[in-house]
Amino acid sequence: MPYSCCFSLPADIISTVEFNHTGELLATGDKGGRVVIFQREPEVGGEYNVYSTFQSHEPEFDYLKSLEIEEKINKIKWLPQQNAAHSLLSTNDKTIKLWKISERDKRPEGYNLKDEEGKLKDLSTVTSLQHCAVCVRRFLMVFYFQVPVLKPMDLMVEVSPRRIFSNGHTYHVNSISVNSDCETYMSADDLRINLWHLAITDRSFNIVDIKPANMEDLTEVITAAEFHPYHCNLFVYSSSKGSLRLCDMRASALCDKHCKLYEEPEDPSNRSFFSEIISSVSDVKFSHSGRYMLTRDYLTVKVWDLNMETKPIETYQVHDYLRSKLCSLYENDCIFDKFECAWNGSDSVIMTGAYNNFFRMFDRNTKRDVTLEASRESSKPRAVLKPRRVCVGGKRRKDDISVDSLDFTKKILHTAWHPTENIIAIAATNNLYIFQDKVNSDMH
């Protein structure tokens, strides 16, 4: 079941996609600072329709540093639902906000302010009444006091800001992650990671600081960070050098010294001018089981076992055919694109984006992989996604596309997978595609 939501303005380019913990709601953030929430409606075939739209961030200006702060939403994270309302965190480069999303389908009526004809009552007599039984009885006989009641109304979704967490970061925030204790969360920028309590906005605790005393000695930056899904003391962060550091907050308050370092030795045969750039990890995700970590660099996705630091247990080539085109990709800045990755609900299939509106899926059990395309044709009702193939040279099949024909302006950077079902959300620049597997297969 494909679904497409198309926009036209540059501010509508989608910058993050996130399902909530049940998969009932899907939130997207865009470069214009807006958050759009979609709700799944079982009565219409399980399709996702717009539930609420609100402005999360506005453009700001830092007068001390003479810097413009964009309204672009960098990340959205849902909090586990505690009551009838939903809550999510959204962040731009500097400020994190906690939002409450609730429904109202009843309104109170009968406050004794109007008479039967709808005219406002003269309440001045209330203040002139003496506190005696006779006066009160006479007043009640005249005004016929009634108990206020709740009457049905059209469903209204209310979004309200509950907390604003500001002044915690000097550099641009690239990640936020909610802890499994449901009380704290962390936010990461290029050089620091802070720990926040959801109820406290005026202070945070710095738990990682890799800023050198002399900025000329800076050799790497933090690219992503995430809490372990079950152990509230563990978190991982990735770096621009391609390494992962697992930290334990029980060991020390400042986690500059990691407890495990995951790093793969570089293959000397593949060494080039671009090696350090393409090895930078753009995303890291714990598996739902908490046993594995999934990382994405420019050309590959890798699966790491928490118990093995020396090398990944699985490596999948996303678009190795681009290795010969790194020079031109460097010139047009595409080599710096940050692709995300996602697990399916059972951790058996992984997904990530590519160029030309292609996205890739890898089955960990069968080792099969498939390339699919998010396009207008695939967004038609009951359309079936057809596997695509990129041809590097030699004989071409009918539906193959040449590597020289790839459109690098069409890129899928942000993807999300439903926590329990085979439903995926694909953000292709300013289009959102939602695909549902009706056959319940693992791949597509």
Side-chain angles (χ1 to χ4, degrees), residues 281-293:
V281 175
S282 57
D283 194 20
V284 58
K285 296 280 175 59
F286 276 107
S287 63
H288 295 84
S289 66
R291 172 68 185 274
Y292 305 102
M293 295 180 294

Side-chain angles (χ1 to χ4, degrees), residues 356 358 371-373 377 384-392 395-403 405-406:
N356 209 69
F358 289 168
T371 301
L372 302 170
E373 181 181 7
E377 289 72 24
V384 178
L385 290 177
K386 295 180 180 179
R388 301 301 305 269
R389 183 173 175 267
V390 178
C391 178
V392 179
K395 293 183 179 180
R396 288 178 55 185
R397 300 175 187 173
K398 180 181 178 182
D399 295 327
D400 285 358
I401 181 170
S402 169
V403 66
S405 302
L406 295 175

